[in-house]
Each structure stands twice: as C-alpha cells, then as structure tokens.
Amino acid sequence: MPSHSSVTETIATVADSAPSFEQLRDAMLDLSEPVGKRTRAIFYLRSRGGLEDLRVLLAALRNRQDSELMRHELAYVIGQFQMEEACDTLHQVLADATDDGMVRHEAAEALGAIGAAQSLPVLDQFSADPAPEVADTCKLAASLVQYKVAKAKGEIEEGEVDRNPYLSEDPAPAAEKDVPTAELRRVLLDHNGDMFAKYRAMFSLRNRNTEEAALALAEAFDDPNALFKHEVAYVMGQMENPVLVPALKKVLLDETEHRMVRHEAAEALGAIGTTECEEILKQYLKDDVKVVRESCEVALDIMDYWAPAQ
C-alpha cells in the first residue's frame, strides 16, 4: 500500500501548526518541491480527511509524471480515506498495464481498504496479472472486501481480534486475540499457507509488539513472496521497535531484494529513528534504485522534521 508509508503516518496524529489546505494542495501538486515535503503534505491531507482533500490526492495520483514512490504513497493514503468516490480512479490505475507495478499494487490494496463490493469484479480480473505483486494484491484485496461484506451481513462469527493501536486500515484484520503467539508465528512462516491468514497473523503480531512477536516477524523475511515481505517491513515501521533494526538493515542492504521490500525497509528504519538507522539511511541516499533512494530521503526528512519535538 503501503506503503503504504510507516514513516509518515505519525504526521496524521499531529495537529499543531498544520499548514492550510491551499499550502498542502500547492505543495502536493508541485513536482519541483522536495519529495520529503510533498510526502508530508500527503499525510497532512489524510489527517484532514475531507472530500476536497481526497480530490487533490486523486488528481495527483492521475499524474503519470510524478514518481512511483509518490504515486504509491498517494494510492495508499487514498485507500485510508475509505471513500467509494475514489474507486473509479483506483480501478483505472489498476487496469493500466503500462503503469508502474508498485503503483498498481497500491491501488489494488486501496480498493481492499475501501471495501466496496463494486471493486470485486475488477480485483478478480487482475488476480492473474503478469506482475506478481499486482496479482497477489488483487487476491488479497478481494479476500478483504469479501470479509468486510460478510462481516457487515453478520455472516462471520469470530471472537475478539487483537486490537489495532495504529491509525491504519490494514489489508487484513488481525487474528483473534486468544490465538497464542507461537501459533501466529507458525501461520506467518508457512511459505505455502493462505496469504490472507498469514496477513492476519502478521497484524496480530504487530499489535502485540512484544519481543517474541517482533522476532517472529523478522523471520518472515525468508519468505519468497515480495508482497508479503514488503508488508512485514511496513508493520515493523509501525511498531518502531529497535530490536528489528538488524533485520531491516539486512533487507535494505540486499540489492537483490525486490525494490518495494527495500523501500519499505528504508521507511521503517526512519520510523524507528535511532542514530544507527540514520547512518544506514544516509548510506543509501544514492542507491541505484530510484524508489529506494527516495525512500531514504523521505525517511531522513521525517526524522529531521520531528527531531525538535522528540
């Protein structure tokens, strides 16, 4: 979604001296502005949460001249609004096979977050897309929409799930809170397991955020599925648990890893924000992969932006 960006979500919780709508709109739509400033504008608009804010983000998403990182972040935040008005644009982005795979993946994930039944035929259509990250996301998003629709109809009976302490609409609900952490780890690390179940285990482990849960998530980087690993990195950023720095560092340093996994690892390191994280991120500001170096720039920008308040 992702992306959905773990580093920048903290902006949505801070209201003091927030820029005006006009300032945010202008910064968001001006491609000459620094990527860090524009990313902050995205999440300020999310924190406002109105229809005019959504429409600015939709206009920005439609601009193919923007970077893949920015449009990926835009699609993620659009999904967090959970407004069906966004569906048509997201359908169009997903359906455009010439668009960037990361952007299309995040558009599909956003459709899952919105949870509208009208999106199911589109998600089904692209569940066999040639791009694995797109196909896998469409399957996952369809599962989430079906879950939400069935839940709303009272067709799903389950116990209380692990409470989500984060301000995010996730690609899957957490598992039931009485499931032992060891069982969640088993489900998470099953490379042949159902992806929706693996995601549910992932979000429960995130919500618990114990050392045992965090280290189980670190093991998940051995999974062969890039989409899954990118979400693992994302939730690590939400957790802000320093015990995860070595695992995230290893992912960012691995130049053979999928770019969207490295991108999320960079932003997660920025969210954790230790001195070691800063040093690691600075090393990759000139990475050969654009989305990775821009993610490092955004992560460092956020660390610097909030440093006086820490």
Side-chain angles (χ1 to χ4, degrees), residues 160-180:
E160 184 180 357
V161 302
D162 274 308
R163 186 182 70 85
N164 178 4
Y166 306 97
L167 299 175
S168 59
E169 180 64 25
D170 299 321
E176 295 179 68
K177 65 184 300 182
D178 61 355
V179 178

Side-chain angles (χ1 to χ4, degrees), residues 96-171:
D96 186 352
T98 68
D99 209 335
D100 182 80
M102 278 183 57
V103 179
R104 295 178 66 217
H105 131 73
E106 202 63 57
E109 186 173 292
L111 290 169
I114 294 168
Q118 63 168 297
S119 296
L120 282 172
V122 181
L123 292 168
D124 288 342
Q125 179 183 352
F126 292 97
S127 63
D129 194 87
E133 65 271 25
V134 174
D136 289 345
T137 306
C138 286
K139 294 172 189 173
L140 188 69
S143 294
L144 179 59
V145 174
Q146 291 162 352
Y147 173 89
K148 288 183 173 184
V149 171
K151 188 84 169 176
K153 292 179 179 179
E155 297 173 354
I156 294 179
E157 293 185 9
E158 60 183 355
E160 184 180 357
V161 302
D162 274 308
R163 186 182 70 85
N164 178 4
Y166 306 97
L167 299 175
S168 59
E169 180 64 25
D170 299 321

Side-chain angles (χ1 to χ4, degrees), residues 5-9 11 34-43 67 69-70 73 263 266-271 281 284-285 290-306:
S5 169
S6 52
V7 176
T8 47
E9 278 193 322
I11 291 174
V35 65
K37 180 178 179 180
R38 296 184 66 229
T39 303
R40 282 185 267 120
I42 293 174
F43 282 85
S67 75
L69 175 66
M70 292 303 300
E73 300 286 9
H263 136 72
E267 295 202 348
L269 287 167
L281 291 165
Y284 284 84
L285 281 171
K290 182 179 180 182
V291 72
V292 173
R293 60 178 182 264
E294 285 189 341
S295 298
C296 291
E297 180 183 345
V298 168
L300 289 166
D301 175 83
I302 295 299
M303 289 177 65
D304 180 66
Y305 187 79
W306 294 114

Side-chain angles (χ1 to χ4, degrees), residues 78-98:
I78 287 166
Q80 297 297 296
F81 275 72
Q82 296 184 273
M83 293 184 183
E84 289 196 32
E85 177 161 332
C87 288
D88 284 347
T89 295
L90 293 169
H91 291 165
Q92 291 166 16
V93 171
L94 173 58
D96 186 352
T98 68

Side-chain angles (χ1 to χ4, degrees), residues 47 82 99 102 106 124 172 187 196 201 226 232 250 252 274 292:
S47 70
Q82 296 184 273
D99 209 335
M102 278 183 57
E106 202 63 57
D124 288 342
V187 173
F196 195 65
V232 169
K250 182 179 179 181
L252 178 58
T274 64
V292 173

Side-chain angles (χ1 to χ4, degrees), residues 68 255 259 262 283-294:
E68 58 202 36
E255 296 181 359
R259 61 190 175 125
R262 296 181 69 215
Q283 292 176 31
Y284 284 84
L285 281 171
K286 295 184 179 180
D287 193 85
D288 289 341
V289 180
K290 182 179 180 182
V291 72
V292 173
R293 60 178 182 264
E294 285 189 341

